[in-house]
Amino acid sequence: MNVNIFVTCIGDALKYRMARDVVLLLEQLGCQVTFPDKQCCCSQPAINSGYIKNAIPGIKNLIAALEENDDPIISPAGSCMNAIRHYADYLADEPAWAQRARRVAHRMQDLTSFIVNTLDVTDVGARLPGKAVYHPSCSLFRKLGVRDEPIMLLRHVRDLEVLSFQSEETCCGFGGTFSIKMAEISGEMVKEKVSHIMAVQPDYLIGADISCLLNIGGRIQREGHPVKIMHIAEVLMSR
């Protein structure tokens, strides 16, 4: 199957290993991966801050960049994918652009959902010895409805024990600009999240949305816990 990858700003600038592993994983599963080289920021920071009109040029640039073909667009970040799904709402006064936005949004798929539901694969042959917790990001399970797919994939990783922990589905406190505008509240939320995680003493914290992992991982590092932070694509490429 031919697919496109939407790598996101964080994948491009901060977490290149995640982006690399997404491509390698998809290729391992038989996909021919295209990277639309004109892709840009999804404009989520501006949108979440209320600067919709200012975000329109960037929104249109990304729509055009993702129209190079009609193949599925795979994203390793639920928050960016959710932003793109709402582009048509912001372009309601420009029907032609709104229609283009809907076509692009219809082709978007979360990485784990694509592997499980489209490729019909739950065991990718990964192996990672140790104990792990999985953080379900708000964007994935609340906004996109992706709840079971990441766990299904993780439960087939050899020698990996997936642990449950208290209040797993509680927000980590990141929320994009929320963590800046409401820093004290955000800080208390991630502090609570880390306390629940550390109560089960995992070796790994795994997630499918890198922004949450940066937030929780930052707190874990500041508290000095020896927990490795991994995007699920890195886990599924472990051998």
Side-chain angles (χ1 to χ4, degrees), residues 114-134:
F114 175 74
I115 294 172
V116 173
N117 299 322
T118 301
L119 298 183
D120 195 25
V121 173
T122 53
D123 187 346
V124 302
R127 177 180 179 271
L128 183 66
K131 299 179 180 181
V133 292
Y134 170 75

Side-chain angles (χ1 to χ4, degrees), residues 7 29-30 44 66 71 73 86 115 148 153 168 180 196 201:
V7 74
L29 294 172
Q44 183 180 185
L66 297 176
D71 299 324
I73 305 164
H86 290 280
I115 294 172
D148 299 328
L153 290 165
E168 290 180 340
I180 299 171
H196 292 159
Q201 294 294 304

Side-chain angles (χ1 to χ4, degrees), residues 26-81:
L26 291 171
E27 289 180 342
Q28 176 184 290
L29 294 172
C31 296
Q32 179 70 38
V33 182
T34 297
F35 177 84
D37 57 10
K38 294 183 180 180
Q39 63 181 275
C40 57
C41 178
C42 68
S43 298
Q44 183 180 185
I47 292 169
N48 289 351
S49 299
Y51 296 103
I52 306 298
K53 290 183 179 180
N54 303 79
I56 295 300
I59 288 173
K60 289 181 176 179
N61 284 342
L62 184 55
I63 291 171
L66 297 176
E67 289 178 322
E68 292 182 2
N69 55 59
D70 294 324
D71 299 324
I73 305 164
I74 311 305
S75 172
S79 58
C80 298
M81 180 176 161

